Short mmCIF file of all heavy atoms in Angstrom, two decimals:
data_model
loop_
_atom_site.label_atom_id
_atom_site.label_comp_id
_atom_site.label_asym_id
_atom_site.label_seq_id
_atom_site.Cartn_x
_atom_site.Cartn_y
_atom_site.Cartn_z
N MET B 1 -2.61 0.76 8.56
CA MET B 1 -3.07 1.49 7.40
C MET B 1 -1.98 2.49 7.01
O MET B 1 -1.44 3.18 7.86
CB MET B 1 -4.37 2.20 7.73
CG MET B 1 -4.96 2.96 6.57
SD MET B 1 -5.73 1.94 5.29
CE MET B 1 -7.11 1.26 6.16
N TRP B 2 -1.70 2.56 5.74
CA TRP B 2 -0.75 3.52 5.18
C TRP B 2 -1.56 4.52 4.35
O TRP B 2 -2.51 4.12 3.66
CB TRP B 2 0.27 2.81 4.30
CG TRP B 2 1.17 1.89 5.06
CD1 TRP B 2 0.94 0.59 5.38
CD2 TRP B 2 2.44 2.21 5.60
NE1 TRP B 2 1.99 0.08 6.08
CE2 TRP B 2 2.94 1.06 6.23
CE3 TRP B 2 3.23 3.37 5.62
CZ2 TRP B 2 4.17 1.01 6.86
CZ3 TRP B 2 4.46 3.32 6.24
CH2 TRP B 2 4.92 2.17 6.85
N VAL B 3 -1.19 5.77 4.40
CA VAL B 3 -1.99 6.80 3.73
C VAL B 3 -1.09 7.90 3.16
O VAL B 3 -0.05 8.21 3.74
CB VAL B 3 -3.04 7.38 4.72
CG1 VAL B 3 -2.39 8.02 5.92
CG2 VAL B 3 -3.99 8.32 4.04
N THR B 4 -1.49 8.44 2.01
CA THR B 4 -0.76 9.57 1.44
C THR B 4 -1.05 10.82 2.26
O THR B 4 -2.05 10.88 2.99
CB THR B 4 -1.15 9.81 -0.03
OG1 THR B 4 -2.57 9.97 -0.12
CG2 THR B 4 -0.69 8.67 -0.94
N ALA B 5 -0.21 11.82 2.15
CA ALA B 5 -0.34 13.05 2.94
C ALA B 5 -1.71 13.70 2.75
O ALA B 5 -2.28 14.26 3.70
CB ALA B 5 0.77 14.03 2.61
N ASP B 6 -2.27 13.62 1.55
CA ASP B 6 -3.57 14.23 1.30
C ASP B 6 -4.75 13.31 1.63
O ASP B 6 -5.90 13.69 1.50
CB ASP B 6 -3.68 14.71 -0.15
CG ASP B 6 -3.59 13.58 -1.18
OD1 ASP B 6 -3.51 12.38 -0.79
OD2 ASP B 6 -3.58 13.89 -2.38
N GLY B 7 -4.45 12.08 2.07
CA GLY B 7 -5.49 11.13 2.45
C GLY B 7 -6.22 10.49 1.29
O GLY B 7 -7.11 9.68 1.49
N HIS B 8 -5.83 10.80 0.06
CA HIS B 8 -6.53 10.29 -1.12
C HIS B 8 -6.33 8.78 -1.30
O HIS B 8 -7.26 8.06 -1.69
CB HIS B 8 -6.08 11.03 -2.37
CG HIS B 8 -6.80 10.61 -3.61
ND1 HIS B 8 -8.11 10.95 -3.86
CD2 HIS B 8 -6.39 9.84 -4.66
CE1 HIS B 8 -8.48 10.41 -5.02
NE2 HIS B 8 -7.46 9.74 -5.52
N ILE B 9 -5.12 8.31 -1.02
CA ILE B 9 -4.82 6.88 -1.20
C ILE B 9 -4.56 6.27 0.17
O ILE B 9 -3.76 6.78 0.95
CB ILE B 9 -3.62 6.67 -2.14
CG1 ILE B 9 -3.97 7.24 -3.52
CG2 ILE B 9 -3.24 5.19 -2.23
CD1 ILE B 9 -2.82 7.24 -4.50
N ARG B 10 -5.27 5.17 0.44
CA ARG B 10 -5.15 4.47 1.71
C ARG B 10 -4.88 3.00 1.41
O ARG B 10 -5.63 2.37 0.67
CB ARG B 10 -6.43 4.63 2.52
CG ARG B 10 -6.79 6.09 2.75
CD ARG B 10 -8.16 6.25 3.35
NE ARG B 10 -8.33 5.54 4.60
CZ ARG B 10 -7.89 5.97 5.79
NH1 ARG B 10 -7.26 7.12 5.87
NH2 ARG B 10 -8.09 5.27 6.88
N GLN B 11 -3.82 2.47 1.98
CA GLN B 11 -3.44 1.10 1.69
C GLN B 11 -3.36 0.30 2.99
O GLN B 11 -2.59 0.62 3.89
CB GLN B 11 -2.09 1.07 0.98
CG GLN B 11 -1.72 -0.27 0.42
CD GLN B 11 -0.43 -0.21 -0.33
OE1 GLN B 11 0.61 -0.43 0.26
NE2 GLN B 11 -0.49 0.09 -1.61
N GLU B 12 -4.18 -0.74 3.06
CA GLU B 12 -4.16 -1.65 4.20
C GLU B 12 -3.33 -2.87 3.82
O GLU B 12 -3.65 -3.56 2.85
CB GLU B 12 -5.58 -2.08 4.57
CG GLU B 12 -5.62 -3.05 5.71
CD GLU B 12 -7.01 -3.58 6.01
OE1 GLU B 12 -7.93 -3.37 5.18
OE2 GLU B 12 -7.16 -4.23 7.05
N LEU B 13 -2.28 -3.12 4.58
CA LEU B 13 -1.47 -4.33 4.40
C LEU B 13 -1.87 -5.29 5.50
O LEU B 13 -1.53 -5.10 6.67
CB LEU B 13 0.03 -3.99 4.49
CG LEU B 13 0.55 -3.01 3.45
CD1 LEU B 13 2.01 -2.70 3.71
CD2 LEU B 13 0.35 -3.54 2.05
N ARG B 14 -2.61 -6.31 5.15
CA ARG B 14 -3.14 -7.24 6.15
C ARG B 14 -2.12 -8.31 6.51
O ARG B 14 -1.23 -8.64 5.72
CB ARG B 14 -4.43 -7.86 5.62
CG ARG B 14 -5.48 -6.82 5.34
CD ARG B 14 -6.83 -7.35 4.95
NE ARG B 14 -6.85 -8.72 4.46
CZ ARG B 14 -7.72 -9.18 3.56
NH1 ARG B 14 -8.62 -8.37 3.05
NH2 ARG B 14 -7.68 -10.42 3.18
N ALA B 15 -2.26 -8.87 7.69
CA ALA B 15 -1.34 -9.89 8.20
C ALA B 15 -1.39 -11.18 7.38
O ALA B 15 -0.42 -11.95 7.38
CB ALA B 15 -1.66 -10.19 9.66
N ASP B 16 -2.47 -11.39 6.63
CA ASP B 16 -2.59 -12.62 5.83
C ASP B 16 -1.92 -12.51 4.46
O ASP B 16 -2.07 -13.39 3.62
CB ASP B 16 -4.06 -13.02 5.68
CG ASP B 16 -4.88 -12.01 4.88
OD1 ASP B 16 -4.36 -10.96 4.48
OD2 ASP B 16 -6.08 -12.29 4.66
N GLY B 17 -1.17 -11.41 4.23
CA GLY B 17 -0.47 -11.26 2.96
C GLY B 17 -1.30 -10.63 1.86
O GLY B 17 -0.90 -10.62 0.70
N ARG B 18 -2.46 -10.11 2.21
CA ARG B 18 -3.33 -9.45 1.23
C ARG B 18 -3.29 -7.94 1.48
O ARG B 18 -3.02 -7.49 2.59
CB ARG B 18 -4.78 -9.93 1.38
CG ARG B 18 -4.99 -11.41 1.11
CD ARG B 18 -5.03 -11.77 -0.32
NE ARG B 18 -6.12 -11.07 -1.01
CZ ARG B 18 -6.19 -10.95 -2.32
NH1 ARG B 18 -5.26 -11.47 -3.11
NH2 ARG B 18 -7.19 -10.30 -2.89
N TYR B 19 -3.53 -7.18 0.42
CA TYR B 19 -3.64 -5.73 0.58
C TYR B 19 -4.94 -5.25 -0.05
O TYR B 19 -5.51 -5.89 -0.92
CB TYR B 19 -2.43 -4.98 0.00
CG TYR B 19 -2.39 -4.93 -1.50
CD1 TYR B 19 -3.01 -3.90 -2.20
CD2 TYR B 19 -1.74 -5.91 -2.23
CE1 TYR B 19 -2.98 -3.86 -3.59
CE2 TYR B 19 -1.70 -5.88 -3.61
CZ TYR B 19 -2.33 -4.85 -4.28
OH TYR B 19 -2.30 -4.82 -5.65
N ASP B 20 -5.38 -4.10 0.43
CA ASP B 20 -6.59 -3.47 -0.09
C ASP B 20 -6.29 -1.98 -0.16
O ASP B 20 -5.95 -1.36 0.84
CB ASP B 20 -7.75 -3.74 0.86
CG ASP B 20 -9.09 -3.30 0.27
OD1 ASP B 20 -9.18 -2.14 -0.18
OD2 ASP B 20 -10.02 -4.11 0.28
N GLU B 21 -6.39 -1.42 -1.35
CA GLU B 21 -6.06 -0.01 -1.55
C GLU B 21 -7.29 0.77 -1.99
O GLU B 21 -7.94 0.41 -2.98
CB GLU B 21 -4.96 0.13 -2.60
CG GLU B 21 -4.50 1.55 -2.81
CD GLU B 21 -3.31 1.62 -3.74
OE1 GLU B 21 -2.26 1.05 -3.41
OE2 GLU B 21 -3.44 2.23 -4.82
N ALA B 22 -7.61 1.81 -1.24
CA ALA B 22 -8.72 2.71 -1.57
C ALA B 22 -8.15 3.97 -2.19
O ALA B 22 -7.06 4.42 -1.82
CB ALA B 22 -9.52 3.05 -0.32
N ARG B 23 -8.88 4.52 -3.14
CA ARG B 23 -8.48 5.78 -3.80
C ARG B 23 -9.66 6.72 -3.80
O ARG B 23 -10.66 6.46 -4.46
CB ARG B 23 -7.99 5.52 -5.22
CG ARG B 23 -6.67 4.75 -5.21
CD ARG B 23 -6.05 4.68 -6.57
NE ARG B 23 -4.73 4.08 -6.44
CZ ARG B 23 -3.65 4.59 -6.98
NH1 ARG B 23 -3.70 5.69 -7.69
NH2 ARG B 23 -2.48 3.99 -6.82
N GLY B 24 -9.53 7.79 -3.02
CA GLY B 24 -10.64 8.73 -2.89
C GLY B 24 -11.85 8.02 -2.32
O GLY B 24 -11.75 7.31 -1.32
N SER B 25 -12.99 8.16 -2.96
CA SER B 25 -14.21 7.51 -2.49
C SER B 25 -14.35 6.08 -3.02
O SER B 25 -15.32 5.41 -2.72
CB SER B 25 -15.43 8.34 -2.90
OG SER B 25 -15.50 8.42 -4.31
N ARG B 26 -13.38 5.65 -3.81
CA ARG B 26 -13.43 4.31 -4.40
C ARG B 26 -12.77 3.28 -3.47
O ARG B 26 -11.55 3.13 -3.44
CB ARG B 26 -12.74 4.31 -5.76
CG ARG B 26 -12.88 3.03 -6.51
CD ARG B 26 -12.31 3.18 -7.90
NE ARG B 26 -12.14 1.87 -8.49
CZ ARG B 26 -11.25 1.57 -9.40
NH1 ARG B 26 -10.41 2.50 -9.84
NH2 ARG B 26 -11.16 0.37 -9.87
N ALA B 27 -13.59 2.61 -2.67
CA ALA B 27 -13.09 1.57 -1.77
C ALA B 27 -12.61 0.38 -2.58
O ALA B 27 -13.15 0.08 -3.64
CB ALA B 27 -14.20 1.14 -0.81
N SER B 28 -11.56 -0.28 -2.10
CA SER B 28 -11.02 -1.48 -2.75
C SER B 28 -10.75 -1.25 -4.24
O SER B 28 -11.06 -2.09 -5.08
CB SER B 28 -11.96 -2.68 -2.56
OG SER B 28 -12.10 -2.97 -1.18
N ALA B 29 -10.14 -0.11 -4.54
CA ALA B 29 -9.79 0.20 -5.93
C ALA B 29 -8.81 -0.84 -6.48
O ALA B 29 -8.87 -1.21 -7.64
CB ALA B 29 -9.21 1.60 -6.03
N TYR B 30 -7.90 -1.27 -5.62
CA TYR B 30 -6.93 -2.31 -5.98
C TYR B 30 -6.82 -3.28 -4.82
O TYR B 30 -6.74 -2.87 -3.66
CB TYR B 30 -5.55 -1.70 -6.27
CG TYR B 30 -5.56 -0.75 -7.43
CD1 TYR B 30 -5.64 0.62 -7.22
CD2 TYR B 30 -5.50 -1.23 -8.74
CE1 TYR B 30 -5.66 1.50 -8.29
CE2 TYR B 30 -5.53 -0.36 -9.81
CZ TYR B 30 -5.61 1.00 -9.58
OH TYR B 30 -5.64 1.87 -10.63
N THR B 31 -6.81 -4.56 -5.14
CA THR B 31 -6.63 -5.60 -4.13
C THR B 31 -5.68 -6.64 -4.69
O THR B 31 -5.54 -6.80 -5.90
CB THR B 31 -7.96 -6.28 -3.76
OG1 THR B 31 -8.52 -6.85 -4.95
CG2 THR B 31 -8.94 -5.30 -3.13
N GLY B 32 -5.00 -7.33 -3.79
CA GLY B 32 -4.09 -8.36 -4.23
C GLY B 32 -3.28 -8.90 -3.07
O GLY B 32 -3.68 -8.79 -1.91
N SER B 33 -2.14 -9.48 -3.40
CA SER B 33 -1.27 -10.05 -2.38
C SER B 33 0.06 -9.32 -2.37
O SER B 33 0.42 -8.63 -3.33
CB SER B 33 -1.06 -11.54 -2.63
OG SER B 33 -0.42 -11.73 -3.88
N TYR B 34 0.77 -9.47 -1.27
CA TYR B 34 2.09 -8.87 -1.16
C TYR B 34 2.99 -9.78 -0.34
O TYR B 34 2.51 -10.57 0.48
CB TYR B 34 2.03 -7.47 -0.54
CG TYR B 34 1.74 -7.46 0.93
CD1 TYR B 34 2.78 -7.38 1.87
CD2 TYR B 34 0.44 -7.56 1.42
CE1 TYR B 34 2.52 -7.39 3.22
CE2 TYR B 34 0.18 -7.57 2.76
CZ TYR B 34 1.22 -7.49 3.66
OH TYR B 34 0.97 -7.51 5.00
N THR B 35 4.29 -9.68 -0.59
CA THR B 35 5.28 -10.38 0.22
C THR B 35 6.31 -9.36 0.68
O THR B 35 6.54 -8.35 0.01
CB THR B 35 5.98 -11.52 -0.56
OG1 THR B 35 6.57 -10.97 -1.74
CG2 THR B 35 5.00 -12.61 -0.95
N VAL B 36 6.91 -9.65 1.82
CA VAL B 36 7.90 -8.76 2.40
C VAL B 36 9.22 -9.49 2.53
O VAL B 36 9.27 -10.61 3.04
CB VAL B 36 7.46 -8.26 3.80
CG1 VAL B 36 8.51 -7.36 4.41
CG2 VAL B 36 6.11 -7.57 3.72
N THR B 37 10.29 -8.86 2.05
CA THR B 37 11.64 -9.36 2.22
C THR B 37 12.45 -8.22 2.81
O THR B 37 12.75 -7.25 2.11
CB THR B 37 12.26 -9.82 0.88
OG1 THR B 37 11.38 -10.76 0.26
CG2 THR B 37 13.63 -10.43 1.10
N GLY B 38 12.73 -8.30 4.11
CA GLY B 38 13.39 -7.19 4.79
C GLY B 38 12.48 -5.98 4.77
O GLY B 38 11.37 -6.03 5.29
N ALA B 39 12.93 -4.90 4.15
CA ALA B 39 12.13 -3.67 4.05
C ALA B 39 11.50 -3.52 2.66
O ALA B 39 10.93 -2.48 2.36
CB ALA B 39 13.01 -2.46 4.37
N HIS B 40 11.62 -4.55 1.83
CA HIS B 40 11.13 -4.50 0.44
C HIS B 40 9.80 -5.25 0.33
O HIS B 40 9.64 -6.33 0.89
CB HIS B 40 12.16 -5.13 -0.49
CG HIS B 40 11.74 -5.10 -1.92
ND1 HIS B 40 11.83 -3.99 -2.71
CD2 HIS B 40 11.21 -6.08 -2.70
CE1 HIS B 40 11.38 -4.27 -3.92
NE2 HIS B 40 10.99 -5.53 -3.94
N LEU B 41 8.86 -4.68 -0.41
CA LEU B 41 7.57 -5.32 -0.65
C LEU B 41 7.39 -5.57 -2.14
O LEU B 41 7.74 -4.72 -2.97
CB LEU B 41 6.42 -4.42 -0.18
CG LEU B 41 6.26 -4.26 1.32
CD1 LEU B 41 7.14 -3.14 1.83
CD2 LEU B 41 4.83 -3.97 1.65
N ASP B 42 6.86 -6.73 -2.46
CA ASP B 42 6.47 -7.07 -3.83
C ASP B 42 4.96 -7.28 -3.83
O ASP B 42 4.43 -8.06 -3.03
CB ASP B 42 7.17 -8.34 -4.31
CG ASP B 42 8.64 -8.10 -4.59
OD1 ASP B 42 8.95 -7.30 -5.47
OD2 ASP B 42 9.48 -8.72 -3.89
N TYR B 43 4.27 -6.56 -4.71
CA TYR B 43 2.82 -6.63 -4.81
C TYR B 43 2.42 -7.34 -6.10
O TYR B 43 3.04 -7.15 -7.14
CB TYR B 43 2.23 -5.21 -4.90
CG TYR B 43 2.43 -4.32 -3.72
CD1 TYR B 43 3.61 -3.60 -3.56
CD2 TYR B 43 1.41 -4.14 -2.80
CE1 TYR B 43 3.78 -2.73 -2.49
CE2 TYR B 43 1.58 -3.27 -1.72
CZ TYR B 43 2.76 -2.57 -1.58
OH TYR B 43 2.92 -1.72 -0.53
N VAL B 44 1.35 -8.12 -6.02
CA VAL B 44 0.71 -8.70 -7.20
C VAL B 44 -0.78 -8.41 -7.08
O VAL B 44 -1.46 -8.95 -6.20
CB VAL B 44 0.96 -10.21 -7.34
CG1 VAL B 44 0.26 -10.75 -8.58
CG2 VAL B 44 2.45 -10.52 -7.38
N ASP B 45 -1.26 -7.53 -7.94
CA ASP B 45 -2.68 -7.18 -7.96
C ASP B 45 -3.48 -8.38 -8.43
O ASP B 45 -2.96 -9.25 -9.15
CB ASP B 45 -2.86 -5.98 -8.92
CG ASP B 45 -4.27 -5.46 -8.91
OD1 ASP B 45 -4.57 -4.60 -8.09
OD2 ASP B 45 -5.07 -5.93 -9.74
N ASP B 46 -4.74 -8.44 -8.03
CA ASP B 46 -5.60 -9.56 -8.45
C ASP B 46 -5.75 -9.65 -9.96
O ASP B 46 -6.13 -10.70 -10.48
CB ASP B 46 -6.96 -9.46 -7.78
CG ASP B 46 -6.90 -9.78 -6.29
OD1 ASP B 46 -5.95 -10.47 -5.85
OD2 ASP B 46 -7.81 -9.33 -5.56
N THR B 47 -5.47 -8.57 -10.69
CA THR B 47 -5.53 -8.60 -12.15
C THR B 47 -4.23 -9.06 -12.78
O THR B 47 -4.14 -9.22 -13.99
CB THR B 47 -5.87 -7.20 -12.71
OG1 THR B 47 -4.79 -6.32 -12.41
CG2 THR B 47 -7.16 -6.67 -12.14
N GLY B 48 -3.17 -9.25 -11.94
CA GLY B 48 -1.87 -9.69 -12.43
C GLY B 48 -0.83 -8.60 -12.52
O GLY B 48 0.34 -8.86 -12.77
N PHE B 49 -1.23 -7.35 -12.32
CA PHE B 49 -0.29 -6.22 -12.34
C PHE B 49 0.65 -6.34 -11.15
O PHE B 49 0.25 -6.73 -10.06
CB PHE B 49 -1.10 -4.91 -12.24
CG PHE B 49 -0.25 -3.68 -12.18
CD1 PHE B 49 0.31 -3.16 -13.32
CD2 PHE B 49 -0.02 -3.05 -10.97
CE1 PHE B 49 1.10 -2.01 -13.27
CE2 PHE B 49 0.76 -1.90 -10.91
CZ PHE B 49 1.32 -1.39 -12.05
N THR B 50 1.93 -6.03 -11.36
CA THR B 50 2.90 -6.11 -10.27
C THR B 50 3.47 -4.74 -9.95
O THR B 50 3.52 -3.86 -10.80
CB THR B 50 4.06 -7.06 -10.62
OG1 THR B 50 4.74 -6.57 -11.77
CG2 THR B 50 3.57 -8.48 -10.87
N ALA B 51 3.89 -4.57 -8.70
CA ALA B 51 4.48 -3.32 -8.24
C ALA B 51 5.42 -3.64 -7.08
O ALA B 51 5.41 -4.76 -6.55
CB ALA B 51 3.40 -2.34 -7.80
N THR B 52 6.22 -2.66 -6.70
CA THR B 52 7.14 -2.85 -5.59
C THR B 52 7.06 -1.66 -4.64
O THR B 52 6.51 -0.61 -4.97
CB THR B 52 8.60 -2.99 -6.07
OG1 THR B 52 8.97 -1.78 -6.74
CG2 THR B 52 8.77 -4.17 -7.00
N GLY B 53 7.63 -1.85 -3.47
CA GLY B 53 7.70 -0.78 -2.49
C GLY B 53 8.84 -1.04 -1.53
O GLY B 53 9.34 -2.16 -1.44
N ASP B 54 9.24 -0.01 -0.83
CA ASP B 54 10.29 -0.12 0.18
C ASP B 54 9.93 0.77 1.35
O ASP B 54 9.45 1.90 1.16
CB ASP B 54 11.64 0.33 -0.39
CG ASP B 54 12.16 -0.62 -1.43
OD1 ASP B 54 12.62 -1.71 -1.06
OD2 ASP B 54 12.08 -0.29 -2.63
N VAL B 55 10.17 0.27 2.56
CA VAL B 55 9.98 1.09 3.75
C VAL B 55 11.34 1.65 4.13
O VAL B 55 12.29 0.90 4.36
CB VAL B 55 9.38 0.26 4.91
CG1 VAL B 55 9.26 1.11 6.16
CG2 VAL B 55 8.03 -0.32 4.51
N ARG B 56 11.42 2.98 4.14
CA ARG B 56 12.66 3.67 4.51
C ARG B 56 12.32 4.71 5.56
O ARG B 56 11.45 5.56 5.33
CB ARG B 56 13.29 4.33 3.29
CG ARG B 56 13.73 3.34 2.22
CD ARG B 56 14.57 3.99 1.12
NE ARG B 56 13.91 5.05 0.39
CZ ARG B 56 13.23 4.90 -0.73
NH1 ARG B 56 13.06 3.70 -1.26
NH2 ARG B 56 12.69 5.95 -1.34
N ASP B 57 12.98 4.62 6.69
CA ASP B 57 12.76 5.57 7.79
C ASP B 57 11.29 5.67 8.16
O ASP B 57 10.77 6.76 8.42
CB ASP B 57 13.31 6.96 7.44
CG ASP B 57 14.82 6.94 7.23
OD1 ASP B 57 15.51 6.21 7.98
OD2 ASP B 57 15.30 7.65 6.34
N GLY B 58 10.59 4.55 8.18
CA GLY B 58 9.19 4.53 8.59
C GLY B 58 8.21 5.03 7.56
O GLY B 58 7.04 5.22 7.86
N VAL B 59 8.68 5.24 6.33
CA VAL B 59 7.84 5.74 5.24
C VAL B 59 7.79 4.67 4.15
O VAL B 59 8.82 4.13 3.76
CB VAL B 59 8.39 7.07 4.68
CG1 VAL B 59 7.57 7.55 3.51
CG2 VAL B 59 8.43 8.12 5.78
N LEU B 60 6.59 4.39 3.63
CA LEU B 60 6.43 3.42 2.56
C LEU B 60 6.50 4.14 1.22
O LEU B 60 5.68 5.01 0.92
CB LEU B 60 5.09 2.69 2.69
CG LEU B 60 4.70 1.74 1.56
CD1 LEU B 60 5.76 0.67 1.33
CD2 LEU B 60 3.34 1.12 1.84
N HIS B 61 7.50 3.79 0.44
CA HIS B 61 7.67 4.32 -0.92
C HIS B 61 7.18 3.22 -1.86
O HIS B 61 7.85 2.22 -2.07
CB HIS B 61 9.14 4.67 -1.19
CG HIS B 61 9.65 5.72 -0.27
ND1 HIS B 61 9.63 7.05 -0.60
CD2 HIS B 61 10.17 5.64 0.98
CE1 HIS B 61 10.13 7.76 0.40
NE2 HIS B 61 10.45 6.92 1.38
N HIS B 62 5.98 3.41 -2.38
CA HIS B 62 5.31 2.41 -3.22
C HIS B 62 5.22 2.99 -4.63
O HIS B 62 4.39 3.87 -4.91
CB HIS B 62 3.92 2.12 -2.64
CG HIS B 62 3.06 1.26 -3.50
ND1 HIS B 62 3.39 -0.04 -3.82
CD2 HIS B 62 1.88 1.51 -4.10
CE1 HIS B 62 2.43 -0.55 -4.58
NE2 HIS B 62 1.51 0.37 -4.77
N GLU B 63 6.13 2.51 -5.50
CA GLU B 63 6.25 3.07 -6.85
C GLU B 63 6.40 4.58 -6.74
O GLU B 63 7.32 5.04 -6.12
CB GLU B 63 5.06 2.64 -7.72
CG GLU B 63 4.96 1.13 -7.93
CD GLU B 63 6.16 0.51 -8.67
OE1 GLU B 63 6.81 1.20 -9.46
OE2 GLU B 63 6.41 -0.68 -8.46
N HIS B 64 5.48 5.39 -7.26
CA HIS B 64 5.61 6.84 -7.21
C HIS B 64 4.93 7.46 -5.99
O HIS B 64 4.94 8.67 -5.81
CB HIS B 64 5.03 7.47 -8.48
CG HIS B 64 3.56 7.27 -8.61
ND1 HIS B 64 3.03 6.08 -9.06
CD2 HIS B 64 2.52 8.08 -8.33
CE1 HIS B 64 1.71 6.17 -9.05
NE2 HIS B 64 1.38 7.39 -8.61
N LEU B 65 4.33 6.63 -5.13
CA LEU B 65 3.59 7.12 -3.96
C LEU B 65 4.47 7.16 -2.72
O LEU B 65 5.38 6.35 -2.57
CB LEU B 65 2.39 6.22 -3.67
CG LEU B 65 1.38 6.04 -4.79
CD1 LEU B 65 0.36 4.98 -4.39
CD2 LEU B 65 0.71 7.38 -5.09
N VAL B 66 4.16 8.08 -1.83
CA VAL B 66 4.79 8.15 -0.51
C VAL B 66 3.67 8.06 0.51
O VAL B 66 2.77 8.90 0.53
CB VAL B 66 5.58 9.47 -0.34
CG1 VAL B 66 6.14 9.57 1.06
CG2 VAL B 66 6.68 9.58 -1.38
N LEU B 67 3.71 7.00 1.31
CA LEU B 67 2.64 6.75 2.29
C LEU B 67 3.23 6.71 3.70
O LEU B 67 4.32 6.19 3.92
CB LEU B 67 1.93 5.44 1.98
CG LEU B 67 1.27 5.37 0.61
CD1 LEU B 67 2.08 4.48 -0.32
CD2 LEU B 67 -0.14 4.86 0.72
N HIS B 68 2.45 7.24 4.64
CA HIS B 68 2.84 7.26 6.05
C HIS B 68 1.86 6.42 6.84
O HIS B 68 0.68 6.31 6.46
CB HIS B 68 2.83 8.71 6.57
CG HIS B 68 3.80 9.59 5.85
ND1 HIS B 68 5.10 9.74 6.25
CD2 HIS B 68 3.66 10.32 4.72
CE1 HIS B 68 5.71 10.56 5.43
NE2 HIS B 68 4.85 10.91 4.48
N ARG B 69 2.33 5.88 7.94
CA ARG B 69 1.42 5.12 8.82
C ARG B 69 0.37 6.07 9.37
O ARG B 69 0.68 7.15 9.84
CB ARG B 69 2.18 4.49 9.98
CG ARG B 69 2.82 3.20 9.60
CD ARG B 69 2.93 2.33 10.83
NE ARG B 69 3.60 1.11 10.51
CZ ARG B 69 2.97 -0.01 10.18
NH1 ARG B 69 1.66 -0.03 10.13
NH2 ARG B 69 3.63 -1.10 9.90
N GLU B 70 -0.85 5.62 9.31
CA GLU B 70 -1.95 6.40 9.86
C GLU B 70 -1.90 6.28 11.39
O GLU B 70 -1.77 5.19 11.93
CB GLU B 70 -3.28 5.88 9.34
CG GLU B 70 -4.47 6.68 9.78
CD GLU B 70 -5.74 6.19 9.12
OE1 GLU B 70 -6.04 4.99 9.25
OE2 GLU B 70 -6.39 7.00 8.47
N VAL B 71 -1.99 7.40 12.06
CA VAL B 71 -1.98 7.42 13.52
C VAL B 71 -3.39 7.16 14.01
O VAL B 71 -4.33 7.88 13.60
CB VAL B 71 -1.46 8.77 14.04
CG1 VAL B 71 -1.48 8.80 15.56
CG2 VAL B 71 -0.06 9.04 13.51
N ALA B 72 -3.53 6.15 14.85
CA ALA B 72 -4.86 5.82 15.37
C ALA B 72 -5.34 6.91 16.31
O ALA B 72 -4.58 7.45 17.11
CB ALA B 72 -4.81 4.47 16.10
N ALA B 73 -6.61 7.23 16.20
CA ALA B 73 -7.21 8.24 17.09
C ALA B 73 -7.35 7.62 18.48
O ALA B 73 -7.66 6.46 18.64
CB ALA B 73 -8.58 8.65 16.56
N SER B 74 -7.12 8.45 19.48
CA SER B 74 -7.23 7.93 20.86
C SER B 74 -8.43 8.48 21.57
O SER B 74 -9.13 9.31 21.14
CB SER B 74 -5.97 8.24 21.64
OG SER B 74 -5.61 9.60 21.53
#
């Protein structure tokens, strides 16, 4: 799970090439598919909208968003 610093946006990148993005209390606000080439991600929303992202130094830069890996509670 990737999450913004304020926790408002949460993006799950699933192993099957699908993503699910929640925004605030709105679960599955955006869903679609993604592909990875090196550290670059290409997204295609189920509505046809496209976006890109890059992982740099362990941080996901997705268009104007900055997301960090969520640390699992132990």
Side-chain angles (χ1 to χ4, degrees):
M1 182 74 67
W2 294 87
V3 61
T4 55
D6 63 3
H8 183 73
I9 298 174
R10 303 171 57 80
Q11 190 177 91
E12 178 185 12
L13 299 176
R14 299 186 340 211
D16 65 356
R18 298 281 301 163
Y19 74 89
D20 189 309
E21 183 174 299
R23 292 189 173 229
S25 61
R26 187 173 165 208
S28 299
Y30 298 98
T31 59
S33 62
Y34 73 96
T35 57
V36 179
T37 306
H40 181 79
L41 290 86
D42 288 297
Y43 296 83
V44 180
D45 186 88
D46 288 338
T47 65
F49 177 79
T50 61
T52 62
D54 291 285
V55 177
R56 297 190 300 267
D57 297 322
V59 177
L60 174 56
H61 299 267
H62 172 62
E63 298 297 333
H64 65 281
L65 302 173
V66 176
L67 300 106
H68 299 271
R69 278 208 182 266
E70 184 174 56
V71 178
S74 50

